[in-house]
mmCIF file of all heavy atoms in Angstrom:
data_model
loop_
_atom_site.group_PDB
_atom_site.id
_atom_site.type_symbol
_atom_site.label_atom_id
_atom_site.label_comp_id
_atom_site.label_asym_id
_atom_site.label_seq_id
_atom_site.Cartn_x
_atom_site.Cartn_y
_atom_site.Cartn_z
ATOM 1 N N ASN A 132 225.218 94.821 68.000
ATOM 2 C CA ASN A 132 223.859 94.548 67.678
ATOM 3 C C ASN A 132 223.807 93.176 66.989
ATOM 4 O O ASN A 132 224.651 92.868 66.167
ATOM 5 C CB ASN A 132 223.321 95.602 66.700
ATOM 6 C CG ASN A 132 221.835 95.549 66.556
ATOM 7 O OD1 ASN A 132 221.249 94.557 66.206
ATOM 8 N ND2 ASN A 132 221.174 96.644 66.887
ATOM 9 N N PHE A 133 222.805 92.337 67.341
ATOM 10 C CA PHE A 133 222.777 90.974 66.770
ATOM 11 C C PHE A 133 222.442 90.990 65.294
ATOM 12 O O PHE A 133 222.595 89.935 64.621
ATOM 13 C CB PHE A 133 221.890 90.021 67.569
ATOM 14 C CG PHE A 133 220.442 90.462 67.761
ATOM 15 C CD1 PHE A 133 219.623 90.727 66.720
ATOM 16 C CD2 PHE A 133 219.903 90.492 69.042
ATOM 17 C CE1 PHE A 133 218.282 91.077 66.900
ATOM 18 C CE2 PHE A 133 218.575 90.840 69.258
ATOM 19 C CZ PHE A 133 217.772 91.151 68.158
ATOM 20 N N ALA A 134 222.052 92.155 64.738
ATOM 21 C CA ALA A 134 221.817 92.217 63.302
ATOM 22 C C ALA A 134 223.134 91.946 62.550
ATOM 23 O O ALA A 134 223.150 91.473 61.421
ATOM 24 C CB ALA A 134 221.319 93.605 62.915
ATOM 25 N N MET A 179 215.343 105.773 76.458
ATOM 26 C CA MET A 179 214.991 104.434 75.917
ATOM 27 C C MET A 179 215.984 103.835 74.955
ATOM 28 O O MET A 179 215.657 102.879 74.289
ATOM 29 C CB MET A 179 213.581 104.450 75.231
ATOM 30 C CG MET A 179 212.446 104.838 76.093
ATOM 31 S SD MET A 179 210.917 104.342 75.283
ATOM 32 C CE MET A 179 209.736 104.993 76.442
ATOM 33 N N ARG A 180 217.180 104.399 74.867
ATOM 34 C CA ARG A 180 218.144 103.788 73.937
ATOM 35 C C ARG A 180 218.888 102.664 74.661
ATOM 36 O O ARG A 180 219.403 102.875 75.767
ATOM 37 C CB ARG A 180 219.159 104.807 73.430
ATOM 38 C CG ARG A 180 218.584 105.728 72.365
ATOM 39 C CD ARG A 180 219.531 106.844 72.054
ATOM 40 N NE ARG A 180 219.731 107.739 73.179
ATOM 41 C CZ ARG A 180 220.514 108.829 73.148
ATOM 42 N NH1 ARG A 180 221.174 109.078 72.049
ATOM 43 N NH2 ARG A 180 220.652 109.550 74.217
ATOM 44 N N MET A 181 218.964 101.474 74.035
ATOM 45 C CA MET A 181 219.790 100.424 74.607
ATOM 46 C C MET A 181 221.236 100.804 74.568
ATOM 47 O O MET A 181 222.023 100.492 75.432
ATOM 48 C CB MET A 181 219.571 99.092 73.833
ATOM 49 C CG MET A 181 218.204 98.516 74.040
ATOM 50 S SD MET A 181 218.042 96.993 73.141
ATOM 51 C CE MET A 181 216.281 96.872 72.982
ATOM 52 N N ARG A 185 224.227 105.907 70.614
ATOM 53 C CA ARG A 185 223.809 105.907 69.201
ATOM 54 C C ARG A 185 222.325 106.329 69.085
ATOM 55 O O ARG A 185 221.536 106.072 69.978
ATOM 56 C CB ARG A 185 223.843 104.452 68.669
ATOM 57 C CG ARG A 185 225.236 103.928 68.544
ATOM 58 C CD ARG A 185 225.522 103.544 67.105
ATOM 59 N NE ARG A 185 226.935 103.206 66.936
ATOM 60 C CZ ARG A 185 227.395 101.989 66.839
ATOM 61 N NH1 ARG A 185 226.594 100.989 66.785
ATOM 62 N NH2 ARG A 185 228.665 101.770 66.707
ATOM 63 N N GLY A 186 222.038 106.969 67.949
ATOM 64 C CA GLY A 186 220.614 107.253 67.636
ATOM 65 C C GLY A 186 220.057 108.420 68.480
ATOM 66 O O GLY A 186 220.812 109.173 69.102
ATOM 67 N N GLN A 187 218.716 108.500 68.434
ATOM 68 C CA GLN A 187 218.050 109.622 69.113
ATOM 69 C C GLN A 187 217.226 109.123 70.295
ATOM 70 O O GLN A 187 216.610 108.052 70.219
ATOM 71 C CB GLN A 187 217.055 110.209 68.129
ATOM 72 C CG GLN A 187 217.700 110.849 66.905
ATOM 73 C CD GLN A 187 216.704 111.632 66.148
ATOM 74 O OE1 GLN A 187 215.551 111.251 66.058
ATOM 75 N NE2 GLN A 187 217.105 112.752 65.596
ATOM 76 N N VAL A 192 212.444 111.713 69.167
ATOM 77 C CA VAL A 192 211.604 111.032 68.203
ATOM 78 C C VAL A 192 210.186 111.559 68.297
ATOM 79 O O VAL A 192 209.577 111.908 67.261
ATOM 80 C CB VAL A 192 211.634 109.509 68.434
ATOM 81 C CG1 VAL A 192 210.604 108.745 67.605
ATOM 82 C CG2 VAL A 192 213.048 108.938 68.177
ATOM 83 N N MET A 204 203.075 103.957 63.875
ATOM 84 C CA MET A 204 204.034 103.351 64.818
ATOM 85 C C MET A 204 203.306 102.632 65.953
ATOM 86 O O MET A 204 203.598 101.486 66.318
ATOM 87 C CB MET A 204 204.942 104.438 65.400
ATOM 88 C CG MET A 204 205.984 103.918 66.367
ATOM 89 S SD MET A 204 206.616 105.192 67.451
ATOM 90 C CE MET A 204 207.590 106.184 66.428
ATOM 91 N N PHE A 208 203.694 98.677 66.162
ATOM 92 C CA PHE A 208 204.654 98.176 67.174
ATOM 93 C C PHE A 208 203.988 97.729 68.466
ATOM 94 O O PHE A 208 204.636 97.110 69.278
ATOM 95 C CB PHE A 208 205.709 99.297 67.456
ATOM 96 C CG PHE A 208 206.587 99.616 66.305
ATOM 97 C CD1 PHE A 208 207.493 100.671 66.374
ATOM 98 C CD2 PHE A 208 206.506 98.895 65.109
ATOM 99 C CE1 PHE A 208 208.345 100.964 65.290
ATOM 100 C CE2 PHE A 208 207.327 99.228 64.010
ATOM 101 C CZ PHE A 208 208.221 100.251 64.090
ATOM 102 N N GLN A 257 206.147 100.858 74.858
ATOM 103 C CA GLN A 257 206.701 99.778 74.080
ATOM 104 C C GLN A 257 206.926 100.157 72.623
ATOM 105 O O GLN A 257 208.011 99.897 72.029
ATOM 106 C CB GLN A 257 205.767 98.540 74.108
ATOM 107 C CG GLN A 257 206.204 97.390 73.192
ATOM 108 C CD GLN A 257 205.216 96.221 73.195
ATOM 109 O OE1 GLN A 257 204.928 95.668 74.264
ATOM 110 N NE2 GLN A 257 204.709 95.900 72.056
ATOM 111 N N ALA A 258 205.950 100.837 72.027
ATOM 112 C CA ALA A 258 206.056 101.254 70.621
ATOM 113 C C ALA A 258 207.237 102.226 70.461
ATOM 114 O O ALA A 258 207.998 102.119 69.507
ATOM 115 C CB ALA A 258 204.759 101.888 70.163
ATOM 116 N N LEU A 259 207.332 103.176 71.400
ATOM 117 C CA LEU A 259 208.422 104.118 71.300
ATOM 118 C C LEU A 259 209.807 103.446 71.413
ATOM 119 O O LEU A 259 210.753 103.735 70.695
ATOM 120 C CB LEU A 259 208.316 105.118 72.451
ATOM 121 C CG LEU A 259 207.695 106.462 72.175
ATOM 122 C CD1 LEU A 259 207.615 107.293 73.420
ATOM 123 C CD2 LEU A 259 208.507 107.251 71.115
ATOM 124 N N ARG A 260 209.880 102.514 72.362
ATOM 125 C CA ARG A 260 211.160 101.772 72.581
ATOM 126 C C ARG A 260 211.558 101.013 71.331
ATOM 127 O O ARG A 260 212.701 101.037 70.894
ATOM 128 C CB ARG A 260 210.931 100.808 73.747
ATOM 129 C CG ARG A 260 212.201 100.158 74.257
ATOM 130 C CD ARG A 260 211.910 98.857 74.970
ATOM 131 N NE ARG A 260 211.773 97.796 74.037
ATOM 132 C CZ ARG A 260 211.062 96.665 74.241
ATOM 133 N NH1 ARG A 260 210.377 96.516 75.353
ATOM 134 N NH2 ARG A 260 211.018 95.712 73.303
ATOM 135 N N ILE A 261 210.556 100.368 70.681
ATOM 136 C CA ILE A 261 210.867 99.582 69.478
ATOM 137 C C ILE A 261 211.345 100.498 68.378
ATOM 138 O O ILE A 261 212.306 100.222 67.666
ATOM 139 C CB ILE A 261 209.584 98.797 69.013
ATOM 140 C CG1 ILE A 261 209.293 97.672 70.038
ATOM 141 C CG2 ILE A 261 209.752 98.199 67.641
ATOM 142 C CD1 ILE A 261 207.982 96.977 69.817
ATOM 143 N N ALA A 262 210.714 101.709 68.282
ATOM 144 C CA ALA A 262 211.107 102.653 67.236
ATOM 145 C C ALA A 262 212.500 103.200 67.532
ATOM 146 O O ALA A 262 213.346 103.268 66.615
ATOM 147 C CB ALA A 262 210.085 103.797 67.166
ATOM 148 N N VAL A 263 212.737 103.634 68.768
ATOM 149 C CA VAL A 263 214.012 104.256 69.127
ATOM 150 C C VAL A 263 215.206 103.332 68.839
ATOM 151 O O VAL A 263 216.240 103.731 68.353
ATOM 152 C CB VAL A 263 213.997 104.662 70.623
ATOM 153 C CG1 VAL A 263 215.360 104.926 71.174
ATOM 154 C CG2 VAL A 263 213.086 105.881 70.794
ATOM 155 N N ASN A 264 214.976 102.010 69.098
ATOM 156 C CA ASN A 264 216.076 101.064 68.916
ATOM 157 C C ASN A 264 215.998 100.300 67.597
ATOM 158 O O ASN A 264 216.769 99.395 67.388
ATOM 159 C CB ASN A 264 216.052 100.068 70.101
ATOM 160 C CG ASN A 264 216.361 100.755 71.436
ATOM 161 O OD1 ASN A 264 217.512 101.177 71.654
ATOM 162 N ND2 ASN A 264 215.368 100.924 72.268
ATOM 163 N N ASP A 265 215.067 100.681 66.758
ATOM 164 C CA ASP A 265 214.872 100.037 65.448
ATOM 165 C C ASP A 265 214.875 98.506 65.618
ATOM 166 O O ASP A 265 215.562 97.774 64.895
ATOM 167 C CB ASP A 265 216.058 100.451 64.536
ATOM 168 C CG ASP A 265 215.627 100.485 63.086
ATOM 169 O OD1 ASP A 265 214.456 100.216 62.789
ATOM 170 O OD2 ASP A 265 216.490 100.770 62.228
ATOM 171 N N GLU A 266 214.063 98.065 66.605
ATOM 172 C CA GLU A 266 214.128 96.671 66.979
ATOM 173 C C GLU A 266 213.651 95.684 65.917
ATOM 174 O O GLU A 266 214.248 94.591 65.790
ATOM 175 C CB GLU A 266 213.298 96.440 68.285
ATOM 176 C CG GLU A 266 213.972 97.105 69.494
ATOM 177 C CD GLU A 266 213.209 96.922 70.799
ATOM 178 O OE1 GLU A 266 212.573 95.859 70.977
ATOM 179 O OE2 GLU A 266 213.221 97.833 71.607
ATOM 180 N N PHE A 267 212.612 96.086 65.139
ATOM 181 C CA PHE A 267 212.137 95.124 64.150
ATOM 182 C C PHE A 267 213.113 94.991 62.973
ATOM 183 O O PHE A 267 213.220 93.900 62.404
ATOM 184 C CB PHE A 267 210.740 95.517 63.661
ATOM 185 C CG PHE A 267 209.688 95.215 64.712
ATOM 186 C CD1 PHE A 267 208.397 95.775 64.598
ATOM 187 C CD2 PHE A 267 209.909 94.373 65.777
ATOM 188 C CE1 PHE A 267 207.409 95.541 65.540
ATOM 189 C CE2 PHE A 267 208.911 94.099 66.722
ATOM 190 C CZ PHE A 267 207.672 94.683 66.595
ATOM 191 N N SER A 268 213.796 96.049 62.586
ATOM 192 C CA SER A 268 214.784 95.926 61.521
ATOM 193 C C SER A 268 215.917 94.975 61.990
ATOM 194 O O SER A 268 216.402 94.160 61.183
ATOM 195 C CB SER A 268 215.433 97.273 61.181
ATOM 196 O OG SER A 268 214.425 98.189 60.853
ATOM 197 N N ALA A 269 216.357 95.154 63.249
ATOM 198 C CA ALA A 269 217.402 94.290 63.773
ATOM 199 C C ALA A 269 216.964 92.794 63.788
ATOM 200 O O ALA A 269 217.697 91.902 63.361
ATOM 201 C CB ALA A 269 217.847 94.719 65.151
ATOM 202 N N LEU A 270 215.702 92.610 64.232
ATOM 203 C CA LEU A 270 215.196 91.213 64.317
ATOM 204 C C LEU A 270 215.063 90.598 62.912
ATOM 205 O O LEU A 270 215.431 89.468 62.659
ATOM 206 C CB LEU A 270 213.867 91.219 65.022
ATOM 207 C CG LEU A 270 213.160 89.872 65.204
ATOM 208 C CD1 LEU A 270 214.052 88.833 65.932
ATOM 209 C CD2 LEU A 270 211.807 90.014 65.937
ATOM 210 N N ASP A 271 214.560 91.421 61.936
ATOM 211 C CA ASP A 271 214.398 90.918 60.567
ATOM 212 C C ASP A 271 215.790 90.542 59.972
ATOM 213 O O ASP A 271 215.928 89.509 59.348
ATOM 214 C CB ASP A 271 213.746 91.959 59.675
ATOM 215 C CG ASP A 271 212.243 92.122 60.023
ATOM 216 O OD1 ASP A 271 211.681 91.218 60.668
ATOM 217 O OD2 ASP A 271 211.659 93.183 59.685
ATOM 218 N N ALA A 272 216.792 91.397 60.192
ATOM 219 C CA ALA A 272 218.142 91.075 59.686
ATOM 220 C C ALA A 272 218.685 89.822 60.341
ATOM 221 O O ALA A 272 219.255 88.955 59.692
ATOM 222 C CB ALA A 272 219.086 92.251 59.966
ATOM 223 N N PHE A 273 218.472 89.690 61.648
ATOM 224 C CA PHE A 273 218.953 88.544 62.414
ATOM 225 C C PHE A 273 218.294 87.258 61.856
ATOM 226 O O PHE A 273 218.995 86.267 61.585
ATOM 227 C CB PHE A 273 218.586 88.751 63.879
ATOM 228 C CG PHE A 273 218.848 87.584 64.773
ATOM 229 C CD1 PHE A 273 220.135 87.112 64.992
ATOM 230 C CD2 PHE A 273 217.778 86.945 65.450
ATOM 231 C CE1 PHE A 273 220.344 86.031 65.832
ATOM 232 C CE2 PHE A 273 218.018 85.897 66.284
ATOM 233 C CZ PHE A 273 219.299 85.442 66.498
ATOM 234 N N ARG A 299 207.086 87.644 63.513
ATOM 235 C CA ARG A 299 208.240 87.632 62.659
ATOM 236 C C ARG A 299 209.036 86.337 62.796
ATOM 237 O O ARG A 299 209.417 85.748 61.793
ATOM 238 C CB ARG A 299 209.200 88.809 63.023
ATOM 239 C CG ARG A 299 208.667 90.102 62.511
ATOM 240 C CD ARG A 299 209.497 91.247 63.015
ATOM 241 N NE ARG A 299 209.361 92.382 62.106
ATOM 242 C CZ ARG A 299 208.290 93.167 62.078
ATOM 243 N NH1 ARG A 299 207.274 92.949 62.906
ATOM 244 N NH2 ARG A 299 208.216 94.164 61.204
#
Side-chain angles (χ1 to χ4, degrees):
N132 193 302
F133 56 56
M179 299 196 184
R180 286 172 294 180
M181 290 182 202
R185 294 239 170 104
Q187 295 190 325
V192 171
M204 181 202 287
F208 294 175
Q257 175 183 301
L259 260 178
R260 191 202 83 205
I261 291 172
V263 163
N264 295 289
D265 210 0
E266 290 180 35
F267 286 164
S268 304
L270 180 57
D271 289 341
F273 173 64
R299 285 174 156 76

